[in-house]
Every structure is written in C-alpha cells, then in structure tokens.
C-alpha cells in the first residue's frame, strides 16, 4: 500500500506539471490556430534562464520567479507572436508547423550556445529538498505541493477565462472569425498576442517545476522533449477543453509512475516503456477520439508550385548527374564522402515531396522509416565480417519493402487523421521507435533464434556491393546515390503528371470534393504513405552505409524536424527543393560547423570568434526556417521564376556559362581552391537572375532597330507612331489633310 501511495502522489505531481504545460498549448491553439511545437523549447530556455539568475547571479528564488516567469516568459511569447506568428495567416498547416519547429530548433541551438552543454546545470526544489511533510506514511515535499496547487489553480483560472470572461471570448474569436471580431471593435492580433504571452508563461513555469522532479539536471534537448510529452495531455481535450486536458495530464503522470512501480525492472524494457508511454498514449488518443468532418471546400493558401514535365525533369536529372561527377573531380576523398551523405539525405527528402508536397499529408518522422530499413538491412543483408563485410542487394530490397509495410501499418490507423492530428501521429510513431526500438540492446529469443535489435546501442552498416559495383569507393557511392536520386525524381515527376498524381492533388486541395467524385481516399492515403516510406527507407539505408556506424541519435526526432524544415524552406513541392533541402541537412550546416571547429582548434587566439560563428550557423539555419511564413513556396520557387524570366537574356546566360567553365578549369588545375570555386559559383548562380533583370531592363530602354520592330517585342501605339515618323508617313498625312481642307 505504501508503494501504491508513493507512486500515486509522484504521478499526480508529474501530471500536474504536464497539465500546466498542456494548458499553455491549449491556450495558444484556441486563440491563434497555431499548434506551438516550440512549447517545450520555450520551457527549456526559461528554465535555463532561471538557473542562470539563481545559481550564477545568486538571486533569491522569489525574485527569480518574478523576473523569469512573470516578465521573461510573457515577453518571449509576445515577441514570438509579433515577429513571426502573426504572419502565418493564410498559410498551409505544414508551413505553420515548420515555423514553430524552426523556433524550437533555434531556441535549442541558442541555449547550447549560451550555456555550455558539457557543464553541469542543476535546479533545486523550492524551499529545499528537506522541506517536506508526511501524508499516510508517504513523504511529500513542499515543491510537489506547489506543483499540485499551481496546476489546479491554473486549470480553474483558464476555465473561467474561456467561459466566463469577455477577454476569453475575444481570444477564441480571434481565430474563429477575426473579421467579425474587428467589426465589433476588437483587435484579434492583440488578443492573440495576449494568449501567446500567457502560453509562454505557463511553459516556463512548467519547465521550472518539472526539472527538480525529474532529477534536477538541465539538458537542452532532454528538457525540450520532456515538455513535449505534454502534447498527449493536450490531445485528451482535443486542444479545446481545459478540464479534459487536466484529466488527461493526470492519467499520463499516473501511468508513467505505475509502469516504474509494477513492471519488472530487469533489462531496458521498463525504462524504455516509461519514456515512450506519452507518445503511445498520444497516438492512441489521436486514433480513438472523433475527428472533424471532411472540409467541404478547398482552403486557399499562399503556397504555389509548378509541376515539371517529365521530359524537363529527365533533362535536369541528367544535368545533375553530370554536374555532380564534374564537381566530384575537384573534391578530396573526405569531401566526396560528405557529399555522398548529403545525397542520401536528399533521397529521404524526396519522400517528403511526394507525401507533403504532392498529397498534402504530413510526416514529422521521415528518419524513423530510414531507421526501420537500416535495422532490417543490418540483420538480413550483411555478408562477411570486419573490413570484408558488405551489404547485399537482397537486404536493401527487403529493407525498402519493410519500410513500406511499416509505413502502411502506421498510416492504417491514422488514415482518418488530417493536418495537425496526422503530424502529431507520425511524431508519436517516430518517438516511440526511437525510445523503444533503437534503445533495445537486450537479447531476444524467438523461434529458437537469439538476436538483438541494436547491439551495444549502435549498428555497423557496411557499403553495398552488387557484382562489380562496390560502394566502398567514395566516388562510386556518390554517383550511385546521385543516379538513384535522379531516377526517383523523374519517376515522381511522371507520377505527379499522371492520373494518380492528379488524384493526389485533388485530395490535397479538397478531400470532400475528391471523395464526392468517387475517389477512394483510404486507398489513396495508404498508397502514398507506403511510397513515401519506401523512398525514406532506401535513403536511410544509404545514409547509414555512408555514415558507417549509426546509433539512436542518427534517427532522432530533432533530426527529422530539421530535415523537414529545410525542405519546406527550399520548397517542398519541388523536386529541386528536396535536393537543396537534403544537401543542406546532410552537408551544409555540418560542414560549416566542423570547419569553424577546426579553425578554432588551429587558431587559439581566434577560437572564441570561430566557435561563435559555428553556433551562429546553426541559429541562422533556424532563423531561415522562421521566415518561411513570408515565402511559403520556398526560395527555389523564386530562383526558378528568376531564371524563367531570363529566357530573353541569352547573352547573360552564355556569359555565365563561359565564366563557370573558366572557373572549373582553374579549380581543376589547382589555380584556385575548391572552396573558392564553390563560393564563386554559388554567388554567381544566386546573382544571375538579378543581372539578367538589369540587362532586360536596360534593353527595353534602348530604341529597337526598325528592321526588328514587331519581332522582338509586340506592336504598341508608341512603336506605330515611331514607325510613322521614321517612314515620313506623319508628314505626308499632314500635307494630305491640308490639301483636303483647302
């Protein structure tokens, strides 16, 4: 009985903190229509700030709470709304999700920059760990009593705010009908800003309360994910009901502690299950709870994508293969290996293009399907040992099929979900896989066979060998990954231009209209999920092989979010967006950060500056993601439009091609370095549309030669008048008119 009471009280305390965090989520979603994936990161940053003022500056707890929870928390939320969130009206669900994901990643990177993750940061309980009372033989600390009282007070206060106050009605109206709210003399943006300020305050309070309960140690990634567990509690109330959210939080906290109390402690299963339990509950709640009806009309958003013709896609695919080969001749062996890793990420990114860009379905865990394929390929496709180990083609094919089947199994119960709910379901699957499967290092006995899913917490994945094709050679690996990307991209272009692709586009625009026209949405969703998972699985096996040794961190939830963010920033509806986003995720930031790290080690006097530049690269990447709301179609869209307008600026294109050829020859002969060539070529490619527009503008101001009048530009009244003057027709007409008058 004592054990039951102890774990019950601990569960209620944990549930109370989940309730505070989840209430902040419900508050912001009800008043802005944006689900804040950065809620956990806000809690983490506020908690680090609380540690800083109490431990480093020696402030008393009461003053730190006033400054951090009462001032910094609301200021953080209000600033987020004013600078970023208010610009997300009229954007698709994926854009809203990606912006908050970018805030999450940027906040984590900023916290790791300010507070060294290698140093210990510990937050103590209010009143100290010795301040406690005994209830029924169970010790209850004052800090835990504060958690319970704060959760009950906040739940009751928010209930009254939403149902009994004018301010609460205005808050809810700011997302339901902002135009009607304006006609009644209220400012919906001010109401939304107030809700974001309150939501951020609750997030920071939850972070300050939960860290001492969970052990007191501060870690940016761990604390962010810990507060994300409150998503399950928020979904109990379907992001609307505060009482149901409170009840769900209590169920979540009690279940987590009862698992520790009554399940066997031997092995890793119980600990992994406790960590995974919130995501299991989240997925179950999403599937069981009733969903909204299909939309009766399409929701018009600001995203615009152009679909390439199959022939054009094939031409550009061939050009990509040629360009990658020529560039590989300039790279050292290490550079070729890194480039190959980036191409494997680009293949995984193609899974997001077909699923989200074409079909409008969301997947927040693409790397999870790569993890499934990697585990299957490792156990069924590796031949030999040590340096002689190779991956066979049968293992790769089996891994792709397994990833597709798992994608179908995940999609099957989630077929009735859409938008945000579907995104949360895939996130729950990714976290469950990461915590339960990729942490499983124990031996299992099945049908007389002994195996371990993740022996020693890592997998050594050798390169593929098919006949004479051996991917141990870096250049061969790079070109194979590039050719596979090109083939899949052309296949997706053909799919999108066919009848199946048009059905996907119709489902994305209006599920209700698509169903009314006789489309089987269940079959359509299931098939596109399986196609996407198969592509992600292939890319995951190649990525693992390029890395050599992979662990749980290689398939982390934050890694999936970073990849998705960069693909959306580039343009998730474009095949070229998948290429650029994948390369940025697999190569871009990692190369720059490692370069600045090497420079810091080599130059002690400049170490601080180079280290800061490395952190700035990561934070800057997140800042780019935060700005996607202003350009939801991605920057590839702008680049393509810029080059499309240069069809009449052929001299500029020919000049750029000649410059590129000269630079390549100089780099090939070691006159200039590879980095110099890459930077000049990148800058030239970005500035070329600007130069082309200047050339066309100057050309339009020049008089067109008479022999080209009406050829290079259409006839206008000004052009006709000029032709009349040059040919003397105006004078003849005037004389003829004078004679007629006489």
């Amino acid at each position: 009985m004592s054990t039951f009471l102890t774990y019950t009280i601990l569960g209620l305390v944990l549930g109370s903190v989940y309730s505070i965090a989840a209430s902040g989520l419900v508050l912001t979603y009800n008043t802005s229509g944006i689900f804040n994936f950065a809620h956990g990161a806000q809690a983490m940053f506020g908690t680090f700030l609380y540690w800083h003022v109490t431990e480093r500056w020696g402030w008393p707890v009461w003053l730190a709470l006033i400054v951090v929870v009462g001032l910094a928390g609301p200021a953080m939320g209000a600033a987020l709304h004013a600078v970023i969130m208010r610009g997300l009206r009229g954007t698709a669900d994926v854009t809203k999700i990606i912006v908050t994901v970018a805030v999450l990643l940027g906040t984590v990177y900023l916290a790791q920059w300010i507070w060294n993750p290698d140093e210990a940061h510990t937050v103590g309980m209010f009143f100290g760990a010795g301040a406690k009372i005994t209830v029924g033989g169970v010790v209850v600390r004052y800090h835990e009593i504060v958690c319970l009282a704060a959760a009950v007070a906040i739940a009751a206060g928010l209930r009254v705010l939403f149902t009994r106050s004018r301010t609460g009605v205005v808050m809810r109206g700011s997302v339901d009908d902002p135009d009607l709210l304006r006609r009644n003399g209220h400012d919906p943006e001010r109401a939304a800003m107030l809700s974001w300020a309150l939501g951020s305050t609750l997030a920071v309070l939850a972070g300050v309360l939960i860290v001492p309960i969970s052990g007191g140690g501060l870690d940016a990634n761990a604390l962010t994910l810990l507060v994300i567990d409150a998503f399950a509690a928020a979904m109990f109330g379907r992001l609307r009901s505060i009482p149901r959210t409170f009840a769900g939080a209590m169920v979540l906290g009690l279940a987590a502690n009862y698992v520790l109390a009554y399940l066997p402690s031997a092995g890793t299963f119980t600990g992994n299950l406790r960590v995974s339990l919130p995501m299991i509950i989240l997925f179950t709640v999403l599937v069981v709870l009733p969903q909204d009806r299909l939309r009766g009309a399409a929701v018009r958003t600001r995203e615009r994508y152009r679909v390439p013709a199959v022939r054009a896609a094939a031409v550009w695919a061939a050009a990509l293969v040629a360009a990658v080969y020529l560039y590989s001749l300039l790279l050292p062996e290490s550079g070729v290996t890194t480039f190959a890793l980036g191409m494997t990420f680009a293949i995984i990114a193609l899974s997001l293009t077909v699923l989200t860009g074409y079909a409008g379905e969301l997947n927040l865990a693409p790397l999870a399907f790569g993890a499934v394929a990697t585990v299957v390929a490792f156990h069924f496709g590796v031949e030999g040992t040590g340096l002689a180990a190779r991956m066979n083609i049968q293992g790769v094919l089996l891994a792709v099929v397994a990833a597709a089947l798992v994608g179908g199994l995940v999609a099957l119960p989630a077929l009735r979900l859409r938008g945000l709910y579907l995104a949360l379901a895939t996130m729950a699957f990714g976290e469950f896989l990461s915590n339960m499967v990729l942490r499983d290092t124990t031996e299992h006995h099945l049908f007389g066979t002994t195996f371990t899913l993740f022996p020693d917490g890592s997998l050594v994945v050798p390169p593929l060998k098919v006949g004479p094709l051996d991917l141990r050679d870096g250049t061969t690996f790079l070109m194979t990954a590039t050719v596979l990307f090109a083939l899949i991209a052309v296949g997706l272009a053909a799919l999108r231009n066919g009848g199946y692709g048009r059905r996907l586009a119709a489902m994305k625009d209006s599920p209700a209209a698509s169903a009314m026209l006789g489309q089987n949405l269940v079959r359509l969703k299931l098939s596109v999920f399986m196609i996407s998972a198969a592509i992600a699985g292939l890319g995951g096996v190649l990525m693992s092989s390029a890395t050599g040794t992979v662990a749980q961190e290689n398939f982390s939830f934050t890694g999936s979010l970073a990849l998705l963010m960069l693909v959306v920033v580039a343009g998730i509806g474009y095949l070229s967006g998948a290429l650029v986003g994948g390369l940025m995720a697999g190569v871009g930031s990692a190369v720059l950060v490692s370069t600045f790290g090497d420079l810091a080690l080599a130059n002690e006097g400049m170490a601080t500056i180079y280290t800061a530049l490395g952190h700035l690269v990561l934070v800057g990447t997140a800042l780019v993601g935060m700005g996607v709301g202003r350009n939801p179609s991605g920057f590839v869209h702008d680049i393509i439009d810029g080059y499309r307008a240069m069809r009449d600026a052929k001299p500029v294109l020919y000049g750029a091609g000649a410059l590129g050829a000269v630079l390549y020859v100089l780099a090939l002969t070691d006159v200039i370095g590879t980095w110099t060539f890459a930077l000049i070529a990148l800058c030239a490619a970005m500035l070329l549309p600007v130069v082309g527009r200047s050339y066309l503008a100057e050309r339009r101001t020049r008089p067109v030669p008479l022999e080209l009048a009406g050829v290079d530009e259409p006839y206008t009244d000004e052009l006709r008048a000029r032709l009349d003057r040059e040919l003397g027709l105006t004078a003849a007409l005037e004389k003829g008119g004078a004679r007629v008058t006489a």
Side-chain angles (χ1 to χ4, degrees):
M1 187 63 181
S2 176
T3 300
F4 175 77
L5 288 177
T6 299
Y7 281 96
T8 298
I9 292 176
L10 291 176
L12 292 175
V13 171
L14 181 61
S16 66
V17 181
Y18 282 154
S19 172
I20 295 172
S23 298
L25 281 170
V26 174
L27 177 63
T28 53
Y29 184 80
N30 265 294
T31 54
S32 65
I34 299 172
F35 188 87
N36 185 15
F37 279 86
H39 200 67
Q42 290 175 262
M44 175 273 301
F45 195 86
T47 307
F48 266 102
L49 187 60
Y50 172 81
W51 171 88
H52 193 97
V53 298
T54 54
E55 298 297 326
R56 284 196 175 174
W57 293 354
W59 289 13
V61 171
W62 65 268
L63 180 59
L65 288 175
I66 292 174
V67 173
V68 175
V69 179
L71 297 177
M76 193 190 320
L80 276 177
H81 176 267
V83 177
I84 301 173
M85 302 305 170
R86 66 182 301 172
L88 295 182
R89 292 189 185 274
T91 58
D93 287 337
V94 65
T95 303
K96 295 176 181 177
I97 290 172
I98 287 307
V99 169
T100 57
V101 164
V103 175
L104 181 152
L105 296 174
T107 306
V108 171
Y109 296 149
L110 183 61
Q112 292 174 341
W113 183 0
I114 297 174
W115 296 283
N116 188 351
D118 295 329
E119 297 179 1
H121 307 88
T122 305
V123 175
M125 292 188 174
F126 296 164
F127 312 106
K132 56 190 176 182
I133 61 174
T134 303
V135 179
V138 178
V139 174
V140 182
R141 294 175 177 84
Y142 288 171
H143 183 95
E144 296 168 342
I145 296 175
V146 170
C147 293
L148 289 167
V152 173
I154 289 170
L158 289 179
R159 173 68 176 174
V160 172
L161 174 68
F162 278 141
T163 60
R164 302 291 183 182
S165 70
R166 185 179 184 86
T167 302
V169 174
V170 171
M171 283 182 173
R172 288 187 285 117
S174 64
V175 65
D176 291 339
D177 196 334
D179 293 331
L180 180 61
L181 199 63
R182 288 190 187 94
R183 293 190 184 99
N184 283 275
H186 298 285
D187 185 357
E189 298 301 339
R190 183 182 300 173
M193 180 182 290
L194 176 60
S195 72
W196 274 87
L198 291 176
S200 180
T201 302
L202 295 178
V204 173
L205 177 60
V208 171
L209 292 175
I210 200 172
V211 170
I213 297 172
S214 60
L218 269 176
D219 178 83
N221 288 310
L223 180 55
T224 299
L225 295 176
L226 183 62
V227 178
I228 284 178
D229 289 344
F231 288 4
M235 293 311 302
F236 264 90
R238 294 190 64 195
L239 298 172
R240 295 174 184 171
S241 171
I242 293 295
R244 286 201 299 268
T245 298
F246 181 83
M250 293 304 169
V251 170
L252 189 62
L254 290 171
N257 279 275
Y258 288 154
V259 164
L260 285 180
Y262 296 108
L263 288 185
S265 58
T268 60
F269 176 79
T270 300
N272 293 343
L273 179 61
R274 187 205 185 272
V275 175
S276 305
L277 191 61
M279 294 300 106
I280 297 173
I281 294 175
L282 173 61
F283 190 87
T284 304
V285 169
L286 287 168
V287 172
V288 171
L289 287 181
Q291 304 298 311
D292 297 328
R293 294 181 179 179
L294 292 176
R295 297 190 302 264
V299 176
R300 299 302 174 190
T301 61
R302 292 188 276 123
E303 288 81 356
R304 296 293 180 268
Y305 302 113
R306 289 187 174 92
V307 181
V310 179
R311 180 178 299 179
V315 171
W316 283 110
L320 171 67
V321 174
V324 169
Y325 176 73
L326 292 175
Y327 187 60
S328 69
L329 299 178
L330 306 178
L331 296 173
E333 184 178 352
S334 59
V336 171
T337 303
T338 304
F339 198 0
L341 180 63
M343 288 305 304
T344 62
F345 271 88
I347 294 174
I348 299 174
L350 283 175
S351 70
L352 298 173
T353 299
V354 64
L355 183 66
T356 305
Y358 292 170
E361 304 298 322
L362 295 173
N363 178 16
L364 298 188
L367 294 182
F369 297 103
V372 171
T374 297
V375 172
V376 173
F378 173 81
H379 286 286
F380 297 98
V382 176
E383 298 176 346
T385 58
L387 296 177
R390 289 291 187 276
M391 180 77 67
N392 58 43
I393 187 64
Q394 295 88 349
V396 174
L397 294 177
L398 183 62
V400 172
V401 172
L405 292 176
V406 171
L409 291 175
V410 172
L412 199 59
L415 286 176
R416 54 199 293 271
L417 305 178
R418 297 181 304 280
L420 172 63
Y421 292 154
L422 180 59
L424 289 172
T426 57
M427 183 200 76
F429 164 72
E431 277 293 275
F432 167 78
L433 184 79
S434 179
N435 293 326
M436 286 296 294
V437 177
L438 304 187
R439 287 184 178 182
D440 189 357
T441 59
T442 58
E443 288 189 352
H444 299 278
H445 304 278
L446 184 65
F447 302 118
T449 303
T450 301
F451 65 93
T452 304
L453 289 178
F454 244 71
D456 300 324
S458 63
L459 299 178
V460 179
V461 184
L464 173 69
K465 184 177 181 181
V466 184
L469 181 66
D470 189 351
L471 299 192
R472 187 173 292 278
D473 178 71
T475 303
T476 304
F477 195 117
L478 171 61
M479 296 312 303
T480 302
T482 304
V483 170
L484 285 174
F485 176 89
L487 292 175
I488 295 172
V490 174
L492 292 182
L495 179 146
R496 177 61 183 83
N497 283 281
Y500 180 79
R502 288 191 288 272
R503 290 195 293 272
L504 292 180
M507 180 178 68
K508 176 182 178 181
D509 286 342
S510 178
S514 182
M516 185 181 66
L517 292 173
Q519 300 299 326
N520 189 329
L521 297 187
V522 172
R523 185 182 304 169
L524 207 55
K525 281 188 177 184
L526 187 62
S527 61
V528 74
F529 256 96
M530 295 183 70
I531 292 172
S532 174
I535 296 173
L538 175 61
V541 172
L542 292 175
M543 183 269 287
S544 301
S545 181
T547 305
T549 302
V550 293
Q552 176 199 13
E553 292 75 19
N554 295 93
F555 308 102
S556 65
F557 170 60
T558 54
S560 290
L561 292 183
L563 175 62
L564 178 60
M565 179 193 74
L566 291 172
V567 175
V568 172
V569 167
I572 200 167
Y574 291 104
L575 300 170
S576 52
L579 174 64
V580 176
L583 289 176
M584 287 194 299
V587 177
S589 58
V591 169
L592 290 174
V593 171
S594 63
T595 300
F596 285 125
D598 294 339
L599 290 172
L601 292 175
N603 301 274
E604 294 184 3
M606 299 285 289
T608 303
I609 296 176
Y610 286 130
T611 302
L613 288 174
H615 287 293
L616 189 61
V617 168
L618 295 175
V619 176
T621 303
L623 289 175
V624 172
M626 295 178 199
V628 75
R630 299 181 180 179
N631 185 16
S633 299
F635 65 79
V636 169
H637 177 84
D638 295 336
I639 294 175
I640 291 175
D641 280 351
Y643 275 91
R644 187 176 286 110
M646 291 183 59
R647 293 173 179 172
D648 297 329
K650 290 183 175 59
V652 177
L653 293 175
Y654 295 151
L659 175 62
V662 170
L663 289 173
Y664 181 79
V665 172
L666 293 176
L668 193 61
T669 55
D670 294 328
V671 176
I672 61 175
T674 304
W675 270 102
T676 304
F677 167 76
L679 290 175
I680 295 176
L682 181 62
C683 292
M686 300 297 290
L687 293 175
L688 196 59
V690 179
V691 177
R693 285 194 295 267
S694 301
Y695 169 80
L696 293 174
E698 181 181 355
R699 186 179 177 187
R700 292 190 187 99
T701 59
R702 299 176 184 173
V704 181
L706 291 179
E707 63 271 17
L708 297 179
V711 177
D712 284 354
E713 63 180 28
Y715 278 107
T716 62
D717 293 337
E718 295 180 358
L719 183 57
R720 293 190 184 92
R722 182 183 167 217
L723 286 172
D724 290 342
R725 288 194 304 272
E726 296 291 342
L727 296 175
L729 296 178
T730 303
L733 289 173
E734 290 176 352
K735 291 180 180 179
R739 285 196 297 270
V740 170
T741 303

